[in-house]
Amino acid sequence: MNCKEVKILIPDLLREPDSYPEARAHIDECASCRAEMEFVEQLQQGLRQGFPDSSVIENIPARIALIRKMKIEQVRRPLVYALAMAALLILSLILTPLLQQRPESPEFYTYYEEETLETLLSLDLDKGMQLSGDEVILYLIETEPLQTMNELSF
Amino acid sequence: MSIGWRKRLTRAERKIIENWVILYYDKVLALSLRLTGNRDDAQDCAQEVFIRAWKKYGTYRGEAHPMAWLKRITLNICYNHLNRNKSKRWDELEAENLEGDSGNVANMNGIDPALLKRLSPLERSVVIARIYEDLSFRMLAESLGTTENNAKVSYHNAIVKLRKLVK
């Protein structure tokens, strides 16, 4: 075994010194690995002292509160699913008739556009003159008031 | 359960997890404290561990010791927590844990664990799981969502960094 392989086994050797005899033999002969083992052992001690298990003993009410929270969670999740499904059902009931009643595209627009084009083509305008959409409508109202007004108010 | 509904636990299963809270809460909290470095975060994480155990009980097959399973969940939750809260990690470590509970830092025989705050969340999680908890590289890699090789590299890098800091 080389140093790299041995060094990652050091925590296991600290826990169970006889777990890897080959690695143990290597450490006995290798100063670098021995130094690393001492370092890891010191770090382990530091952690044990810095965070002793006894320092975090929680009282019973904290555990009871946690158990209660878990029970609420158990009840709440299916309730959330049920509410979500109910909301979806209600939405679909509301939206389905609305979607069915949606008006089709108005025919008069097409007719109006065709007529506009025809009218524009028949216009006797000066060269270079341009009309905006509103101006065209005004022109149509002026030239063919009855027919156009009926269409606009449709 | 193909449509994602979680199976409800039986009364007996619920009782088992409630017993785990009584038996292992301290251990889970201690590990959370080592990983997160502050008590509030550790308490939040410990609670989350048992909630997740409650939700995922169906995936626990009883092959491993319950605490081994809980350790893996703890490691995963704390690691994710550290990644989410990089800015405030280990801020209260010295004040709360080292001076408050275990006496003066100077009286310690080992290496000051506050040095671990210099490590990345992955490095710190790997070091703590390896040298303080009985977790293999394979198990901790699974818990942290990384490869076994990456976990080994992170462990090696972490020890090198710490040794440099101590010199």
Side-chain angles (χ1 to χ4, degrees):
Chain A
M1 290 182 98
N2 59 33
C3 291
K4 202 176 172 184
E5 290 168 332
V6 169
K7 280 176 180 174
I8 60 166
L9 293 175
I10 285 173
D12 300 309
L13 286 167
L14 287 171
R15 230 178 344 265
E16 290 178 50
D18 301 328
S19 52
Y20 295 94
E22 203 182 335
R24 169 57 71 181
H26 175 97
I27 286 169
D28 289 342
E29 291 175 2
C30 176
S32 165
C33 290
R34 224 172 18 251
E36 178 139 335
M37 189 161 183
E38 281 168 18
F39 177 82
V40 172
E41 197 169 11
Q42 283 187 327
L43 188 58
Q44 203 176 44
Q45 279 178 10
L47 272 172
R48 202 162 280 153
Q49 289 175 9
F51 302 100
D53 285 351
S54 57
S55 72
V56 290
I57 290 177
E58 288 294 301
N59 53 18
I60 295 296
R63 294 169 205 229
I64 291 169
L66 175 56
I67 291 169
R68 202 167 284 160
K69 196 175 170 182
M70 294 193 310
K71 283 181 176 170
I72 292 167
E73 188 75 15
Q74 173 89 353
V75 174
R76 200 181 60 187
R77 278 178 64 107
L79 193 68
V80 169
Y81 282 129
L83 286 173
M85 292 300 283
L88 270 176
L89 188 69
I90 290 166
L91 261 178
S92 64
L93 286 172
I94 294 169
L95 288 178
T96 306
L98 284 176
L99 288 172
Q100 283 170 350
Q101 286 170 8
R102 197 177 72 172
E104 291 175 10
S105 59
E107 289 173 9
F108 81 92
Y109 283 144
T110 316
Y111 175 64
Y112 187 79
E113 279 167 14
E114 283 171 6
E115 192 193 56
T116 308
L117 272 173
E118 282 170 17
T119 314
L120 279 172
L121 287 170
S122 65
L123 287 177
D124 184 19
L125 299 171
D126 293 331
K127 280 186 181 177
M129 182 179 175
Q130 293 184 348
L131 294 175
S132 70
D134 290 342
E135 285 167 330
V136 170
I137 292 169
L138 282 173
Y139 181 82
L140 289 169
I141 291 168
E142 279 172 15
T143 51
E144 297 178 34
L146 284 176
Q147 191 186 349
T148 314
M149 284 300 282
N150 285 340
E151 284 164 0
L152 286 172
S153 62
F154 173 75
Chain B
M1 292 287 143
S2 57
I3 56 167
W5 287 91
R6 186 165 48 85
K7 178 179 165 284
R8 280 180 77 87
L9 298 181
T10 63
R11 194 186 184 88
E13 287 171 334
R14 289 202 300 271
K15 196 73 197 160
I16 287 170
I17 300 176
E18 285 171 21
N19 285 339
W20 286 359
V21 175
I22 302 297
L23 289 170
Y24 306 124
Y25 185 79
D26 286 348
K27 287 191 168 85
V28 168
L29 188 61
L31 176 55
S32 302
L33 186 54
R34 283 174 202 124
L35 288 163
T36 61
N38 84 63
R39 193 174 297 275
D40 289 342
D41 288 352
Q43 280 172 347
D44 289 347
C45 287
Q47 288 209 348
E48 208 180 322
V49 168
F50 286 99
I51 301 277
R52 191 181 290 180
W54 180 274
K55 289 176 185 171
K56 303 275 180 182
Y57 185 76
T59 63
Y60 174 65
R61 290 169 189 163
E63 290 159 359
H65 189 278
M67 192 52 215
W69 189 56
L70 292 173
K71 267 184 195 177
R72 292 170 66 171
I73 298 175
T74 309
L75 197 58
N76 178 267
I77 286 174
C78 291
Y79 174 61
N80 290 337
H81 179 86
L82 285 172
N83 272 329
R84 279 196 305 269
N85 304 283
K86 282 180 183 170
S87 57
K88 62 167 192 172
R89 63 193 185 197
W90 284 56
D91 286 350
E92 301 162 27
L93 177 74
E94 295 88 345
E96 270 202 27
N97 303 307
L98 299 178
E99 291 168 14
D101 292 327
S102 61
N104 195 338
V105 182
N107 292 337
M108 285 171 51
N109 296 321
I111 289 162
D112 183 358
L115 289 175
L116 292 172
K117 70 181 172 185
R118 306 281 186 92
L119 304 178
S120 72
L122 180 62
E123 288 169 345
R124 189 181 328 140
S125 302
V126 169
V127 164
I128 290 172
R130 275 298 286 158
I131 72 168
Y132 204 83
E133 306 294 335
D134 191 15
L135 283 173
S136 66
F137 278 113
R138 187 180 59 79
M139 278 171 70
L140 67 90
E142 279 174 16
S143 307
L144 299 173
T146 186
T147 61
E148 197 174 334
N149 198 43
N150 195 25
K152 284 178 183 174
V153 170
S154 297
Y155 171 80
H156 174 74
N157 290 343
I159 296 295
V160 169
K161 269 188 202 173
L162 290 170
R163 289 188 74 176
K164 277 184 187 166
L165 288 168
V166 168
K167 273 179 187 171

